[in-house]
Each structure stands twice: as C-alpha cells, then as structure tokens.
Amino acid sequence: MGDIAEDKVSFYSNAEGYWKEVPPTVDGMLGGYGGISSIDINGSKAFLKKFLGEGEGKTGTGCALDCGAGIGRITKRLLLPLFKTVDLVDVTKEFLDKARSYLGDDGKRVGNYFCCGLQEFVPETGRYDVIWIQWVIGHLTDDHLVEFLRRCQKALRPNGLIIIKDNVSYEGVVPDEVDSSVCRDLEIVRRLVGQAGLRIVHEEQQMNFPKEIYQVHTLALR
C-alpha cells in the first residue's frame, strides 16, 4: 500500500474524522447512494441463503457479527431477519447510538454494540456463525486486514463463514483521500485472504448497481 500505510496513525484518524461528519442515515452510510440499499440487501440475502440451514455442512443461524455496522442498515434488513442474535462493531459511537433507535423492536435481539476500530477489535472465540464485513476492508492496512481475518476465523462456530462484500478496483490499489481508504483489486483481496489462512468457498459479483461505481464482489471464506 506504499505511502498510505507509512503513516498508519493518520490513515485511521483521518477516516475516523471523515465518518464523524457523515449523517447517521442510510444515505450517509452509502455515500449518497441510499437508493441501492434494497438491491444490495436482496443480493446479500440470496448469497447467504445458499449456506444457511440445518444438516451436515450447513451454517447455523444463532449469532452473526456486523463489522463496520454504522447505524445497522445490514443488521436490520439482512442479519436480524436470519439470525437469533446479532452483534455490531463500528468505530463511530454516534452511529451505534443511532442504531439503537433505528433497529426498533428487533434491536432487542442485538447482543452487543462494540465501539472499536476493526484493526483493534478481537471477536469472542467460537461465538459467530457468520461474520459479515461489508464496505469496510478498505479502511484497514494490508497487515491489519490479514490479522483481523485471522481473529475472525477463531471467532467462528463450526461451519461458520466470514463474508467480505466490497468494492474492487480494476487494477492495483486505488487510494481515496476523501475518506482515507483504499480500494484493492480482486487478486490482491484473494492474496490477503490466503495469507490469513482462509479459503474462498464461493464468490459472486453483485449485479444491478449503478455503472459509475466500482464493481462489488462478495466472497464467502472459512
């Protein structure tokens, strides 16, 4: 990641500063593209349902973790309808405060609200059937992403899955100075996943997003 990672402190602090100025709304979470939320959730639901269920090799529906959860958009519309308990982790306290009201009655099934950057977050060993990581890996340096994925693997229940859903660049690493993040190409993401000791069990491109935004790919890992 070159020059960006050289000053990790500002890489993270600049991102925190950016998100502190973002309104705690669905549109804010999606950078002005609130209109794509339903397409996104429906694609994620179809992807996830391939794995969930009872029986040999199926992923359980006891507990999920929403990483970079923001106000809980994904928790509300994807994870709480499918899992008995959901935990949220986000670096921005204001977003998690908003999540408590945004989630409504179903918020009673939230287990924990963790206010923490993913580079420092240690999920509980053996707690989660699914760890959902969407539109947030670009806020981690390569080393921190690999280390976080290793910690996530230890946090999985039997047959559990880590799901990464994120923008992918066409080639190389593209920095975004506005929100202090990077967008990696698919080969780099796959390489970092491998370095973490994980294998990709399924991969899809999210369809029907606006042409002007990056391609979005979903990877199931274990």
Side-chain angles (χ1 to χ4, degrees), residues 7-165:
D7 191 352
K8 288 184 179 180
V9 175
S10 64
F11 179 65
Y12 290 114
S13 62
N14 290 349
E16 283 190 46
Y18 169 82
W19 287 107
K20 275 191 168 66
E21 300 302 315
V22 170
T25 62
V26 169
D27 211 43
M29 299 302 97
L30 294 176
Y33 282 93
I36 70 170
S37 186
S38 289
I39 298 167
D40 168 58
I41 294 293
N42 289 338
S44 296
K45 200 169 284 184
F47 185 95
L48 201 45
K49 282 187 170 176
K50 291 177 170 70
F51 302 99
L52 301 183
E54 295 177 5
E56 193 175 342
K58 288 291 192 179
T59 298
T61 56
C63 191
L65 174 64
D66 186 355
C67 298
I71 64 168
R73 179 187 73 91
I74 293 165
T75 290
K76 183 183 179 84
R77 298 199 47 205
L78 175 69
L79 300 177
L80 279 172
L82 295 173
F83 294 87
K84 294 182 186 71
T85 305
V86 180
D87 290 348
L88 289 74
V89 56
D90 198 276
V91 75
T92 307
K93 181 180 181 297
E94 291 80 3
F95 294 165
L96 294 176
D97 290 344
K98 175 69 175 181
R100 293 170 195 272
S101 58
Y102 173 72
L103 294 173
D105 281 347
D106 282 338
K108 291 172 185 160
R109 293 189 290 111
V110 170
N112 299 282
Y113 295 90
F114 298 110
C115 188
C116 186
L118 298 185
Q119 71 276 14
E120 296 165 347
F121 182 66
V122 181
E124 182 185 327
T125 301
R127 176 169 171 81
Y128 300 107
D129 293 296
V130 166
I131 297 177
W132 192 272
I133 310 170
Q134 182 165 346
W135 281 323
V136 71
I137 63 168
H139 282 300
L140 294 173
T141 64
D142 287 1
D143 289 349
H144 282 160
L145 176 55
V146 170
E147 290 164 11
F148 178 61
L149 290 174
R150 285 177 181 152
R151 295 196 297 274
C152 285
Q153 187 177 34
K154 290 177 184 156
L156 292 178
R157 290 177 175 173
N159 298 317
L161 285 172
I162 298 164
I163 312 283
I164 291 176
K165 185 170 186 178

